[in-house]
Amino acid sequence: MREEISEVAAEQEAVSAREKMQRQFKKVATKAAEQYWYECLKFNRFFAAEFSCYVPVESQDHECVCVAMYIEEKAMYFEQFILKYLTYEVLGSLYRVFCVIMGNQMAVLVEHTPDREFLMALKQIKQLFNNYLGKHVMISISPRGTYRMMPRLYEKASAALNRNFWSASDEILLPGNSQKTHAAASSTVDLNQYKTQMAVSSVEVMEEVISASLAEIRDGGGTVEEGKQMILQIYMMAKNYLALNNGEIDIYDVDYILQAQSFRVVEKMFANLFTEYRAGRNPGGSVKQRTIERMKALIEENLSEEELSLKWIAKNHLFMNEEYLGKLFIQYTGMRFSAYVTKVRLAEAKRLLEKEPGIKITELSKRVGFGRNSAYFSTVFKNETGMSPSEFRD
């Protein structure tokens, strides 16, 4: 009897171990697939050699779409993961889905073509996210295609979101149904007249002046890029006249205006500016301190990017002088930017080795930003810890 009980217990333990291994494998496989699609979409090319590892042969020619999602207001990184989780929960229960965070957007690869059920599921995601976090999600659907066309499909869905910048609509953008891009402006908006009015106005009148200037920019027929540059100038004027943060420009806001994909977001920024003024408070820290915090956040958000560097951040996100940012970073952290990036990458590598003991070293190298050069990654890891990644895991 005891032998039978022992055999049953051993069998149950073996089943439990197999199920645990299957769950871990499924989790790792999903992350590997997301990384594969991230590289395809980022470099706008299709990597055929690895394709069959992530999409079964029988599904490779099935019709698909790519859905581009964008959180309309300032989104913390964890909010993007909440959106990703919701999307897997809602769409993943219906179709084969891959969710890939692409900077301030999320690409959702769906093995399905739009129908009523599909659109209702997307609306459910928008509603749930708004209920949880009080923020709107903009959604654009690409034309139909196959997995092999996915880089092009994402490009089309993302471009549709950008073209929709001036629209006040919160509807899901269907293929061919986005707002047309504004034609090049026949004449630029005269910002000097608004600058003069703002300089001699009360706060209440200044709000009206800014509202009028934003409306003129929106309706003036200029491109999105031209509009954002003018909006940024008005924002700088307003912050200077209101003497918020000693008139210094917050790099968070500069970055946010230039990357915004909704005019409503810009309008809300100005509303918050006046709310902040009336509250008589100045959000914590100097502009320099917040710049350093922004740099650290960008490192966390783009850790898997091989091209992550001081020059890349200065050019693509902060729009500031690279040399100045380097000196500022050393002044506030006591470390060179490159050394700090390596430190964060190795800390993440250790965390992943403990959390996912089955992860391959080549995959680990990619996920922490060393790309396909796993040998170099192992060398850097050993120099830092005294052990190779494999030894550390064991």
mmCIF file of all heavy atoms in Angstrom, residues 76 250-252 284-301 313 318 325 328-329 332-333 337 340:
data_model
loop_
_atom_site.group_PDB
_atom_site.id
_atom_site.type_symbol
_atom_site.label_atom_id
_atom_site.label_comp_id
_atom_site.label_asym_id
_atom_site.label_seq_id
_atom_site.Cartn_x
_atom_site.Cartn_y
_atom_site.Cartn_z
ATOM 1 N N MET A 76 3.646 56.024 -18.279
ATOM 2 C CA MET A 76 4.773 55.388 -17.617
ATOM 3 C C MET A 76 4.977 54.017 -18.274
ATOM 4 O O MET A 76 4.071 53.457 -18.886
ATOM 5 C CB MET A 76 4.481 55.209 -16.131
ATOM 6 C CG MET A 76 4.163 56.511 -15.405
ATOM 7 S SD MET A 76 5.558 57.641 -15.377
ATOM 8 C CE MET A 76 6.619 56.793 -14.208
ATOM 9 N N ASP A 250 11.183 72.250 -19.177
ATOM 10 C CA ASP A 250 11.284 70.870 -18.711
ATOM 11 C C ASP A 250 11.480 69.951 -19.906
ATOM 12 O O ASP A 250 10.656 69.911 -20.814
ATOM 13 C CB ASP A 250 9.993 70.513 -17.968
ATOM 14 C CG ASP A 250 10.114 69.203 -17.228
ATOM 15 O OD1 ASP A 250 10.883 68.341 -17.673
ATOM 16 O OD2 ASP A 250 9.431 69.052 -16.202
ATOM 17 N N ILE A 251 12.587 69.205 -19.921
ATOM 18 C CA ILE A 251 12.901 68.341 -21.055
ATOM 19 C C ILE A 251 11.837 67.262 -21.254
ATOM 20 O O ILE A 251 11.607 66.791 -22.368
ATOM 21 C CB ILE A 251 14.300 67.716 -20.890
ATOM 22 C CG1 ILE A 251 14.806 67.201 -22.250
ATOM 23 C CG2 ILE A 251 14.309 66.627 -19.855
ATOM 24 C CD1 ILE A 251 15.020 68.287 -23.249
ATOM 25 N N TYR A 252 11.147 66.876 -20.171
ATOM 26 C CA TYR A 252 10.041 65.920 -20.296
ATOM 27 C C TYR A 252 8.994 66.464 -21.274
ATOM 28 O O TYR A 252 8.484 65.757 -22.139
ATOM 29 C CB TYR A 252 9.363 65.707 -18.944
ATOM 30 C CG TYR A 252 10.023 64.711 -18.040
ATOM 31 C CD1 TYR A 252 11.003 65.106 -17.146
ATOM 32 C CD2 TYR A 252 9.658 63.372 -18.062
ATOM 33 C CE1 TYR A 252 11.603 64.190 -16.285
ATOM 34 C CE2 TYR A 252 10.252 62.449 -17.219
ATOM 35 C CZ TYR A 252 11.224 62.874 -16.330
ATOM 36 O OH TYR A 252 11.818 61.967 -15.491
ATOM 37 N N GLY A 284 8.524 68.848 -8.214
ATOM 38 C CA GLY A 284 9.834 68.652 -7.609
ATOM 39 C C GLY A 284 11.028 68.615 -8.530
ATOM 40 O O GLY A 284 10.977 68.147 -9.644
ATOM 41 N N GLY A 285 12.122 69.156 -7.967
ATOM 42 C CA GLY A 285 13.406 69.034 -8.624
ATOM 43 C C GLY A 285 13.673 70.083 -9.668
ATOM 44 O O GLY A 285 12.762 70.643 -10.267
ATOM 45 N N SER A 286 14.939 70.370 -9.896
ATOM 46 C CA SER A 286 15.338 71.314 -10.923
ATOM 47 C C SER A 286 15.220 70.663 -12.295
ATOM 48 O O SER A 286 15.066 69.441 -12.409
ATOM 49 C CB SER A 286 16.783 71.747 -10.687
ATOM 50 O OG SER A 286 17.657 70.661 -10.925
ATOM 51 N N VAL A 287 15.319 71.487 -13.345
ATOM 52 C CA VAL A 287 15.268 70.955 -14.702
ATOM 53 C C VAL A 287 16.419 69.976 -14.933
ATOM 54 O O VAL A 287 16.256 68.935 -15.564
ATOM 55 C CB VAL A 287 15.326 72.118 -15.723
ATOM 56 C CG1 VAL A 287 15.516 71.577 -17.128
ATOM 57 C CG2 VAL A 287 14.046 72.937 -15.648
ATOM 58 N N LYS A 288 17.592 70.304 -14.390
ATOM 59 C CA LYS A 288 18.750 69.416 -14.568
ATOM 60 C C LYS A 288 18.508 68.060 -13.916
ATOM 61 O O LYS A 288 18.809 67.012 -14.499
ATOM 62 C CB LYS A 288 19.995 70.075 -13.983
ATOM 63 C CG LYS A 288 20.481 71.284 -14.779
ATOM 64 C CD LYS A 288 21.726 71.886 -14.146
ATOM 65 C CE LYS A 288 22.214 73.087 -14.950
ATOM 66 N NZ LYS A 288 23.423 73.696 -14.344
ATOM 67 N N GLN A 289 17.946 68.066 -12.708
ATOM 68 C CA GLN A 289 17.667 66.803 -12.022
ATOM 69 C C GLN A 289 16.654 65.969 -12.788
ATOM 70 O O GLN A 289 16.803 64.753 -12.927
ATOM 71 C CB GLN A 289 17.155 67.082 -10.608
ATOM 72 C CG GLN A 289 18.229 67.594 -9.652
ATOM 73 C CD GLN A 289 17.648 68.040 -8.329
ATOM 74 O OE1 GLN A 289 16.550 68.582 -8.276
ATOM 75 N NE2 GLN A 289 18.390 67.808 -7.253
ATOM 76 N N ARG A 290 15.637 66.632 -13.310
ATOM 77 C CA ARG A 290 14.601 65.898 -14.053
ATOM 78 C C ARG A 290 15.150 65.390 -15.389
ATOM 79 O O ARG A 290 14.711 64.355 -15.893
ATOM 80 C CB ARG A 290 13.379 66.790 -14.268
ATOM 81 C CG ARG A 290 12.694 67.200 -12.969
ATOM 82 C CD ARG A 290 11.303 67.715 -13.213
ATOM 83 N NE ARG A 290 10.413 66.619 -13.568
ATOM 84 C CZ ARG A 290 9.179 66.798 -14.042
ATOM 85 N NH1 ARG A 290 8.711 68.017 -14.212
ATOM 86 N NH2 ARG A 290 8.425 65.766 -14.348
ATOM 87 N N THR A 291 16.113 66.119 -15.955
ATOM 88 C CA THR A 291 16.759 65.640 -17.177
ATOM 89 C C THR A 291 17.502 64.343 -16.909
ATOM 90 O O THR A 291 17.438 63.389 -17.692
ATOM 91 C CB THR A 291 17.735 66.701 -17.727
ATOM 92 O OG1 THR A 291 17.010 67.896 -18.032
ATOM 93 C CG2 THR A 291 18.428 66.197 -18.997
ATOM 94 N N ILE A 292 18.209 64.283 -15.773
ATOM 95 C CA ILE A 292 18.926 63.061 -15.397
ATOM 96 C C ILE A 292 17.946 61.911 -15.181
ATOM 97 O O ILE A 292 18.179 60.782 -15.629
ATOM 98 C CB ILE A 292 19.776 63.288 -14.126
ATOM 99 C CG1 ILE A 292 20.861 64.332 -14.380
ATOM 100 C CG2 ILE A 292 20.400 61.973 -13.653
ATOM 101 C CD1 ILE A 292 21.839 63.969 -15.486
ATOM 102 N N GLU A 293 16.825 62.190 -14.516
ATOM 103 C CA GLU A 293 15.812 61.154 -14.288
ATOM 104 C C GLU A 293 15.238 60.667 -15.611
ATOM 105 O O GLU A 293 14.975 59.478 -15.788
ATOM 106 C CB GLU A 293 14.692 61.691 -13.381
ATOM 107 C CG GLU A 293 15.120 61.951 -11.950
ATOM 108 C CD GLU A 293 15.757 60.726 -11.312
ATOM 109 O OE1 GLU A 293 15.180 59.628 -11.418
ATOM 110 O OE2 GLU A 293 16.840 60.863 -10.712
ATOM 111 N N ARG A 294 15.055 61.605 -16.545
ATOM 112 C CA ARG A 294 14.552 61.232 -17.865
ATOM 113 C C ARG A 294 15.562 60.344 -18.596
ATOM 114 O O ARG A 294 15.193 59.360 -19.240
ATOM 115 C CB ARG A 294 14.268 62.497 -18.684
ATOM 116 C CG ARG A 294 13.798 62.248 -20.116
ATOM 117 C CD ARG A 294 12.525 61.460 -20.152
ATOM 118 N NE ARG A 294 11.995 61.335 -21.490
ATOM 119 C CZ ARG A 294 11.239 60.332 -21.917
ATOM 120 N NH1 ARG A 294 10.906 59.355 -21.083
ATOM 121 N NH2 ARG A 294 10.789 60.300 -23.147
ATOM 122 N N MET A 295 16.840 60.672 -18.474
ATOM 123 C CA MET A 295 17.884 59.857 -19.104
ATOM 124 C C MET A 295 17.881 58.440 -18.533
ATOM 125 O O MET A 295 17.978 57.456 -19.278
ATOM 126 C CB MET A 295 19.246 60.520 -18.907
ATOM 127 C CG MET A 295 19.430 61.824 -19.681
ATOM 128 S SD MET A 295 20.969 62.678 -19.279
ATOM 129 C CE MET A 295 22.152 61.686 -20.195
ATOM 130 N N LYS A 296 17.737 58.336 -17.223
ATOM 131 C CA LYS A 296 17.696 57.017 -16.594
ATOM 132 C C LYS A 296 16.469 56.229 -17.055
ATOM 133 O O LYS A 296 16.545 55.017 -17.294
ATOM 134 C CB LYS A 296 17.688 57.161 -15.074
ATOM 135 C CG LYS A 296 19.006 57.636 -14.486
ATOM 136 C CD LYS A 296 18.924 57.746 -12.967
ATOM 137 C CE LYS A 296 20.243 58.159 -12.349
ATOM 138 N NZ LYS A 296 20.149 58.273 -10.870
ATOM 139 N N ALA A 297 15.334 56.919 -17.160
ATOM 140 C CA ALA A 297 14.108 56.254 -17.612
ATOM 141 C C ALA A 297 14.260 55.759 -19.051
ATOM 142 O O ALA A 297 13.811 54.660 -19.391
ATOM 143 C CB ALA A 297 12.920 57.214 -17.505
ATOM 144 N N LEU A 298 14.900 56.567 -19.902
ATOM 145 C CA LEU A 298 15.111 56.165 -21.294
ATOM 146 C C LEU A 298 16.021 54.941 -21.380
ATOM 147 O O LEU A 298 15.848 54.082 -22.253
ATOM 148 C CB LEU A 298 15.712 57.326 -22.092
ATOM 149 C CG LEU A 298 14.734 58.453 -22.442
ATOM 150 C CD1 LEU A 298 15.483 59.681 -22.946
ATOM 151 C CD2 LEU A 298 13.724 57.986 -23.488
ATOM 152 N N ILE A 299 16.998 54.868 -20.492
ATOM 153 C CA ILE A 299 17.872 53.688 -20.458
ATOM 154 C C ILE A 299 17.049 52.441 -20.128
ATOM 155 O O ILE A 299 17.169 51.399 -20.781
ATOM 156 C CB ILE A 299 19.001 53.881 -19.424
ATOM 157 C CG1 ILE A 299 19.980 54.954 -19.904
ATOM 158 C CG2 ILE A 299 19.750 52.566 -19.184
ATOM 159 C CD1 ILE A 299 20.981 55.396 -18.849
ATOM 160 N N GLU A 300 16.186 52.544 -19.108
ATOM 161 C CA GLU A 300 15.336 51.409 -18.712
ATOM 162 C C GLU A 300 14.403 51.008 -19.849
ATOM 163 O O GLU A 300 14.212 49.820 -20.122
ATOM 164 C CB GLU A 300 14.510 51.783 -17.475
ATOM 165 C CG GLU A 300 15.329 52.063 -16.231
ATOM 166 C CD GLU A 300 15.841 50.793 -15.558
ATOM 167 O OE1 GLU A 300 15.426 49.701 -15.965
ATOM 168 O OE2 GLU A 300 16.676 50.920 -14.637
ATOM 169 N N GLU A 301 13.833 51.993 -20.520
ATOM 170 C CA GLU A 301 12.842 51.726 -21.565
ATOM 171 C C GLU A 301 13.469 51.134 -22.823
ATOM 172 O O GLU A 301 12.809 50.425 -23.577
ATOM 173 C CB GLU A 301 12.106 53.023 -21.936
ATOM 174 C CG GLU A 301 11.215 53.562 -20.829
ATOM 175 C CD GLU A 301 10.737 54.966 -21.110
ATOM 176 O OE1 GLU A 301 10.888 55.425 -22.267
ATOM 177 O OE2 GLU A 301 10.231 55.633 -20.175
ATOM 178 N N ILE A 313 20.440 59.014 -27.462
ATOM 179 C CA ILE A 313 19.437 59.656 -26.610
ATOM 180 C C ILE A 313 19.390 61.161 -26.859
ATOM 181 O O ILE A 313 18.320 61.759 -26.942
ATOM 182 C CB ILE A 313 19.725 59.349 -25.127
ATOM 183 C CG1 ILE A 313 19.224 57.943 -24.788
ATOM 184 C CG2 ILE A 313 19.083 60.367 -24.197
ATOM 185 C CD1 ILE A 313 19.410 57.537 -23.351
ATOM 186 N N LEU A 318 16.126 63.669 -26.387
ATOM 187 C CA LEU A 318 16.262 64.879 -25.575
ATOM 188 C C LEU A 318 16.561 66.127 -26.392
ATOM 189 O O LEU A 318 16.396 67.237 -25.894
ATOM 190 C CB LEU A 318 17.356 64.673 -24.514
ATOM 191 C CG LEU A 318 17.125 63.509 -23.553
ATOM 192 C CD1 LEU A 318 18.211 63.467 -22.491
ATOM 193 C CD2 LEU A 318 15.758 63.618 -22.892
ATOM 194 N N LEU A 325 25.158 66.838 -22.039
ATOM 195 C CA LEU A 325 24.455 65.782 -21.311
ATOM 196 C C LEU A 325 25.435 64.834 -20.622
ATOM 197 O O LEU A 325 25.190 64.378 -19.502
ATOM 198 C CB LEU A 325 23.562 64.990 -22.274
ATOM 199 C CG LEU A 325 22.279 65.675 -22.742
ATOM 200 C CD1 LEU A 325 21.574 64.820 -23.787
ATOM 201 C CD2 LEU A 325 21.339 65.953 -21.572
ATOM 202 N N LEU A 328 26.729 66.562 -17.542
ATOM 203 C CA LEU A 328 25.643 66.658 -16.569
ATOM 204 C C LEU A 328 25.415 65.313 -15.885
ATOM 205 O O LEU A 328 25.214 65.247 -14.659
ATOM 206 C CB LEU A 328 24.357 67.119 -17.269
ATOM 207 C CG LEU A 328 23.172 67.497 -16.378
ATOM 208 C CD1 LEU A 328 23.501 68.756 -15.574
ATOM 209 C CD2 LEU A 328 21.925 67.736 -17.225
ATOM 210 N N PHE A 329 25.495 64.229 -16.658
ATOM 211 C CA PHE A 329 25.257 62.892 -16.107
ATOM 212 C C PHE A 329 26.340 62.533 -15.091
ATOM 213 O O PHE A 329 26.040 62.008 -14.010
ATOM 214 C CB PHE A 329 25.220 61.859 -17.240
ATOM 215 C CG PHE A 329 24.613 60.548 -16.844
ATOM 216 C CD1 PHE A 329 23.240 60.357 -16.901
ATOM 217 C CD2 PHE A 329 25.403 59.497 -16.399
ATOM 218 C CE1 PHE A 329 22.667 59.155 -16.528
ATOM 219 C CE2 PHE A 329 24.845 58.294 -16.022
ATOM 220 C CZ PHE A 329 23.467 58.125 -16.087
ATOM 221 N N TYR A 332 25.823 64.474 -11.767
ATOM 222 C CA TYR A 332 24.729 64.056 -10.889
ATOM 223 C C TYR A 332 24.817 62.592 -10.458
ATOM 224 O O TYR A 332 24.208 62.207 -9.458
ATOM 225 C CB TYR A 332 23.377 64.307 -11.571
ATOM 226 C CG TYR A 332 22.888 65.731 -11.400
ATOM 227 C CD1 TYR A 332 23.389 66.750 -12.205
ATOM 228 C CD2 TYR A 332 21.962 66.062 -10.427
ATOM 229 C CE1 TYR A 332 22.966 68.060 -12.049
ATOM 230 C CE2 TYR A 332 21.528 67.367 -10.255
ATOM 231 C CZ TYR A 332 22.037 68.369 -11.067
ATOM 232 O OH TYR A 332 21.613 69.672 -10.897
ATOM 233 N N THR A 333 25.534 61.762 -11.201
ATOM 234 C CA THR A 333 25.577 60.329 -10.858
ATOM 235 C C THR A 333 26.973 59.848 -10.451
ATOM 236 O O THR A 333 27.097 58.784 -9.850
ATOM 237 C CB THR A 333 25.110 59.464 -12.044
ATOM 238 O OG1 THR A 333 26.057 59.582 -13.120
ATOM 239 C CG2 THR A 333 23.730 59.893 -12.529
ATOM 240 N N PHE A 337 28.075 57.902 -18.701
ATOM 241 C CA PHE A 337 26.809 57.365 -19.203
ATOM 242 C C PHE A 337 26.971 55.909 -19.634
ATOM 243 O O PHE A 337 26.152 55.055 -19.286
ATOM 244 C CB PHE A 337 26.327 58.217 -20.375
ATOM 245 C CG PHE A 337 25.005 57.776 -20.947
ATOM 246 C CD1 PHE A 337 23.809 58.218 -20.408
ATOM 247 C CD2 PHE A 337 24.966 56.899 -22.026
ATOM 248 C CE1 PHE A 337 22.595 57.800 -20.940
ATOM 249 C CE2 PHE A 337 23.758 56.473 -22.563
ATOM 250 C CZ PHE A 337 22.568 56.929 -22.011
ATOM 251 N N TYR A 340 27.186 53.526 -16.756
ATOM 252 C CA TYR A 340 25.889 53.346 -16.092
ATOM 253 C C TYR A 340 25.014 52.387 -16.899
ATOM 254 O O TYR A 340 24.338 51.525 -16.330
ATOM 255 C CB TYR A 340 25.193 54.701 -15.951
ATOM 256 C CG TYR A 340 23.862 54.624 -15.237
ATOM 257 C CD1 TYR A 340 23.793 54.647 -13.842
ATOM 258 C CD2 TYR A 340 22.672 54.507 -15.953
ATOM 259 C CE1 TYR A 340 22.574 54.564 -13.187
ATOM 260 C CE2 TYR A 340 21.448 54.423 -15.299
ATOM 261 C CZ TYR A 340 21.403 54.449 -13.921
ATOM 262 O OH TYR A 340 20.192 54.365 -13.275
#
